[in-house]
Amino acid sequence: MSNEKPKVAFYWCASCGGCEEAVVDLHEKILDVVAAVDIVLWPVALDFKKHHIEALKPKEIAVAFINGAVRLSEHEEWVKLLREKSGLVVAFGACAHLGGIPGLANYTTRDEILANKYHRAVTVDNPQKLLPQTESKVNGYALELPALWNDVRPLDEVIEVDYYLPGCPPPVDLIVAAVTAILKGELPPKGTVIGPLKSLCESCSLNSTKPEKMAIKEFKRVATSTPDPKTCFLAQGYVCMGPATRSGCGERCIKGNMPCRGCFGPTPEARDQGTKFLSSLASMLEAKTEAEAQAVADTIVDPVGTFYRFSLPKSLLRRRRVKT
Ligand code: SF4
Ligand code: SF4
């Protein structure tokens, strides 16, 4: 029997780096992980190269933790390589799980994003209307850049995923539980989202202040008013995604006097987090007519960014349809 430690890879695609911070947040527990495994890839911390991974045998890596959505040709190449070389792939965090915040780019198009960034931004001086090219020649050298895809995709739209660790970022206790289960071989069924099955409302400390029947007259924003920290946010008129969001985060936002934005994704029975929330919201408005209901709904600023903040690419909508 081999005495070799299991090989583990960490990789990041379109993400903010918060998931890497979550691994660092393991603090001294990371020493247990390092003692138990052989880290073969971790671009944010260690200098391994692509050819090191290409040289490995198929499935030689025990588990690859991949965070971030798939946005660039480079992301796609890497995740396909890691899939080939790994026994297990874990979608780590909201962006790999659902598309995450980068997934809100599906509300527009690649061409619009590039035009805004390189042609319209007031700080840009670009009279020739140049755009980044995937190949260019500079002083006789061929330079390459990854291609930017039009769609942001969750990881499981590009490769097969074995498990999902939800959250923006996943909390330390869930990471430790997942790593321990994998190292001990005590694995849940393939496809499991590692986290509780209940909704956030069910574990929320403010649940006792949530009335049976809501009567929301208008929606408020934390940007322009301060919620009462002892009362259910929805009851106060702040959009709180708790009813449609999986629990397991430790109510991090609620404890910080912020409504839930939904980073843990939908509850297990819901296919689409935004639709699930909207269907419950409809019965919470204080309105007798369609026009009154519309007037209350109109007080929600940025509905897509509110109801699909973390899940647009994984939702039934997937993206905004744009005429080409
Ligand atoms: S709506 Fe939000 S604040 Fe109210 S009980 Fe649910 S999670 Fe808690
Ligand atoms: S309260 Fe909601 S948005 Fe905040 S960490 Fe928990 S699941 Fe994510």
Side-chain angles (χ1 to χ4, degrees), residues 168 200 245-246 249 251-254 260-264 310:
C168 179
L200 187 72
T245 300
R246 183 187 289 267
C249 67
E251 295 112 51
R252 293 181 289 196
C253 299
I254 310 292
C260 171
R261 278 77 52 82
C263 78
F264 256 56
F310 292 93

Side-chain angles (χ1 to χ4, degrees), residues 200-201 204 206-207 210 232-234 240 242-243 254:
L200 187 72
C201 279
C204 178
L206 302 180
N207 192 291
K210 187 177 170 194
C232 167
F233 292 107
L234 262 180
C240 181
I254 310 292

Side-chain angles (χ1 to χ4, degrees), residues 11 22 47 60 64 68 111 136 146 201 207 224 241 283 289 293 307-308:
Y11 191 69
D47 188 23
E60 192 173 338
D111 292 346
S136 47
C201 279
N207 192 291
T224 49
M241 293 288 287
S283 62
T289 64
F307 303 124
Y308 291 97

